[in-house]
Amino acid sequence: MKKSWEVLLFGMFVIAAFAFPVQAQEKEPIKIGAVYTFTGAMAFLNEGIVDGHMLAIDEINKSGGLFGRKIEIIKRDDAGKADLATRYSRELIMREKVDFIVGGYGTIQAMALSAVARDFKKPIFIFGGHSTRVTTEDWSPYHFRYAITTSAEGKTLAKIIAEEYLKGISDPKVYYETWDFEFGRDVHRYFIPSIKEYVPNVKLYEGWPRVGETDYSPYIAQILAYKPHVLAHVIFAGGAVANLKQCAQMGVFKNTKMASACVVASNEYREVLKDAIPLGSWSWCYDDESYPGNEEQKEFYERYRKWKGTTKRVVPSHVWPAYNMIKLWEAAARKAGTIESEAVCKAMEGIKIDTYNGPVWIRDFDHQVVSGHIWGPLVKKPGSDEIILDPEKTRYVPVEPYLFTKEEWHAARKAAGIE
C-alpha cells in the first residue's frame, strides 16, 4: 500500500515538473515596445502619448490581462532621430522579443518604423507620421497609422483661413512658413491649391527655414515687410515654440493673424507657450474638454487623473488617441484569438472601437485610422489667464472626407511605381 502511494506521489511530481514550464510560458508577459522621443525638442509632446498607452495597459492588466497574460511596455528614446528609431525598434524585436510596437511621433521616425515593420513582419502602430506617403509609398501590411493626415491638415487649414480671416478682404495675403521637411512639404501640397480655390485672388508668400532652426529673424523680417493678413504656420515641437515666441517678441501678431497646422491648440503647447500664443489663433488638437464635453469624456479625464495621481484639471491632448491605439490593438488581438503577428495584422483591418468622440476604426486597405480633429480659436477663459479653445466656435472635423478613396490610393501607389 505504501509503495502504491509512493508511486502515485512520484507520478504527481513528474506531471507537475513537466506542466510547470508550460504554465510558466503561458504566463509570460505580452511585450509592447514603445519608441518615442523622450529627450529633445519633441519630448513635451510625447509624455501624454506614453501616459495614454500606459493607462490602457494598466486597465487591461487589472481586468485579467490579455488571454490571461499581463502586458508590459518597454520604452526606448529615439531622441527625434530616424536612425535611432530604426535601431531601437529592431533591437526590441530581436532582443526583447516584443509582440507589438507603438511609436513614431515625427514623420522621419514613422518612415523608419514602417520599414522595420515591413522587414520583420511585425505589427507596428505609428502615432504620428502625418505624411500621406506613410500609407501610400511606404505602406505595408504590418504597419498602421493613427495620425491625422497632411491632406486633412492642409485642406482644413486653407478652409479655416478663408472662412475666418479673409472674408471681405480686397487684397488678401498669406505667408506660409514651414521647416523644409516631409511634413511641411506635404501640407503645402494640399494647402496651396485649396487656398487658391477658396480665395482665387490670394497673394502667397513662403518661408522655408531649415529643420531645427533656432533663429527665425530673417523670416520674421519678411513677414513684417510683406504684412500678410495671415501666417499659415507649419512648424512643430520645439521649433514652433521658438518661432512663435520670436514672432511675438518682434511684433508679428500686431497686424497678422495666425492659423497653425501643428496641433498648437493642444494642451501640451498651451502649457509651454503661454502668452506667446496670439489670442484668436486657430489650430487643432486630437482631444479637448471643449468637445464633446459629455459625461463619458469627463469620466475618462477623472480616470486619467486618478491613475496619474494628479489634481491638475488640464489633461494632455495626446492621451486620448494614444489610449485608443492600445484599445484598437487589444480588440484586434481578441478578435484574432492570438497575438501572432500575421493574425493580429489581419484582424486590425477594419477593427472599430466606440469612444466619447464617436467611433474610431482602421481602414482595411491603407491601415489609416479614421477619427477626427478639433479646430478652434484660442482665447482667454473668462475671469482667468488660462488659454482655452473657444467653446462657441470649436468644431469637430472628421478626417474621412480628406482621405484617399481606395481607387485614389491605388492610383497614388501606381504613380509612385509601387503597384
Side-chain angles (χ1 to χ4, degrees):
M1 187 73 176
K2 183 178 179 182
K3 287 184 179 180
S4 297
W5 277 106
E6 288 175 348
V7 170
L8 179 61
L9 190 60
F10 176 75
M12 291 172 65
F13 276 123
V14 170
I15 293 170
F18 280 100
F20 179 76
V22 175
Q23 292 171 353
Q25 185 178 12
E26 288 175 350
K27 297 299 180 182
E28 286 180 0
I30 296 169
K31 296 180 181 180
I32 297 179
V35 185
Y36 288 109
T37 303
F38 300 114
T39 55
M42 288 193 292
F44 75 98
L45 293 166
N46 285 240
E47 181 182 351
I49 299 172
V50 177
D51 276 358
H53 293 333
M54 287 297 302
L55 174 60
I57 289 169
D58 283 356
E59 289 180 351
I60 295 168
N61 286 341
K62 286 178 182 177
S63 65
L66 183 59
F67 306 129
R69 298 166 62 185
K70 296 295 184 183
I71 303 170
E72 68 176 35
I73 192 166
I74 304 172
K75 295 183 284 187
R76 292 291 185 270
D77 179 11
D78 64 28
K81 299 177 180 178
D83 60 331
L84 291 182
T86 298
R87 181 197 305 176
Y88 289 136
S89 56
R90 291 170 64 93
E91 180 257 332
L92 285 167
I93 293 169
M94 293 189 293
R95 185 177 301 174
E96 299 291 346
K97 308 298 182 185
V98 298
D99 302 288
F100 181 58
I101 290 178
V102 289
Y105 188 82
T107 296
I108 59 170
Q109 296 98 310
M111 289 178 175
L113 290 180
S114 69
V116 172
R118 183 171 54 250
D119 292 345
F120 284 86
K121 298 183 178 180
K122 182 68 67 174
I124 295 182
F125 208 158
I126 295 166
F127 182 95
H130 301 226
S131 171
T132 52
R133 175 177 168 180
V134 173
T135 49
T136 51
E137 293 101 309
D138 288 355
W139 181 88
S140 82
Y142 304 98
H143 80 265
F144 304 81
R145 194 257 302 279
Y146 198 101
I148 302 303
T149 64
T150 46
S151 57
E153 288 160 315
K155 291 179 180 181
T156 307
L157 180 64
K159 188 176 184 349
I160 293 293
I161 289 175
E163 292 180 350
E164 299 296 332
Y165 294 133
L166 299 184
K167 281 184 177 179
I169 302 295
S170 59
D171 184 27
K173 294 182 288 186
V174 174
Y175 187 96
Y176 182 91
E177 185 183 25
T178 180
W179 277 348
D180 189 3
F181 66 150
E182 176 70 23
F183 175 75
R185 289 189 292 271
D186 216 39
V187 171
H188 182 271
R189 179 153 66 104
Y190 296 100
F191 173 79
I192 296 299
S194 295
I195 193 66
K196 288 181 177 178
E197 181 180 347
Y198 286 120
V199 189
N201 64 329
V202 67
K203 289 183 180 178
L204 293 166
Y205 307 95
E206 298 179 9
W208 295 76
R210 64 180 175 82
V211 175
E213 181 63 79
T214 57
D215 179 12
Y216 294 92
S217 55
Y219 304 95
I220 294 173
Q222 287 183 346
I223 297 170
L224 293 172
Y226 294 142
K227 298 179 181 178
H229 296 93
V230 186
L231 169 63
H233 185 261
V234 193
I235 299 174
F236 83 125
V241 174
N243 178 262
L244 292 178
K245 285 184 175 181
Q246 290 174 36
C247 282
Q249 289 166 0
M250 295 178 68
V252 166
F253 302 123
K254 290 179 181 178
N255 299 302
T256 298
K257 306 295 184 182
M258 187 195 79
S260 174
C262 292
V263 292
V264 171
S266 68
N267 285 316
E268 290 89 332
Y269 272 109
R270 288 183 238 169
E271 195 167 317
V272 172
L273 282 166
K274 301 188 185 323
D275 289 339
I277 297 178
L279 295 179
S281 298
W282 280 76
S283 187
W284 71 273
C285 58
Y286 287 102
D287 182 49
D288 186 77
E289 65 178 351
S290 62
Y291 182 92
N294 56 26
E295 291 304 315
E296 291 83 359
Q297 185 183 43
K298 293 174 184 176
E299 190 274 333
F300 178 80
Y301 283 7
E302 283 305 311
R303 221 161 69 229
Y304 169 76
R305 292 188 191 100
K306 184 178 180 180
W307 172 84
K308 187 72 172 175
T310 181
T311 57
K312 288 179 63 176
R313 186 187 63 78
V314 174
V315 173
S317 299
H318 288 52
V319 169
W320 176 76
Y323 179 90
N324 292 341
M325 288 170 67
I326 299 299
K327 299 304 288 184
L328 284 163
W329 167 76
E330 179 200 10
R334 293 192 187 280
K335 178 182 176 182
T338 178
I339 58 166
E340 189 273 325
S341 293
E342 296 282 351
V344 169
C345 286
K346 190 65 180 173
M348 286 182 76
E349 295 180 346
I351 203 73
K352 179 184 290 189
I353 60 172
D354 291 320
T355 80
Y356 55 73
N357 266 332
V360 172
W361 71 96
I362 301 174
R363 299 209 298 182
D364 60 4
F365 60 94
D366 63 353
H367 294 180
Q368 169 66 41
V369 168
V370 179
S371 59
H373 48 332
I374 299 164
W375 281 82
L378 293 159
V379 298
K380 284 280 183 74
K381 187 176 182 179
S384 168
D385 286 334
E386 183 184 351
I387 297 174
I388 63 171
L389 278 172
D390 186 341
E392 294 185 4
K393 293 186 177 180
T394 295
R395 64 184 74 168
Y396 186 74
V397 182
V399 71
E400 192 170 23
Y402 299 101
L403 300 178
F404 287 145
T405 64
K406 192 169 186 178
E407 292 72 23
E408 290 170 336
W409 180 72
H410 281 298
R413 286 174 55 79
K414 287 177 181 177
I418 306 300
E419 292 185 356

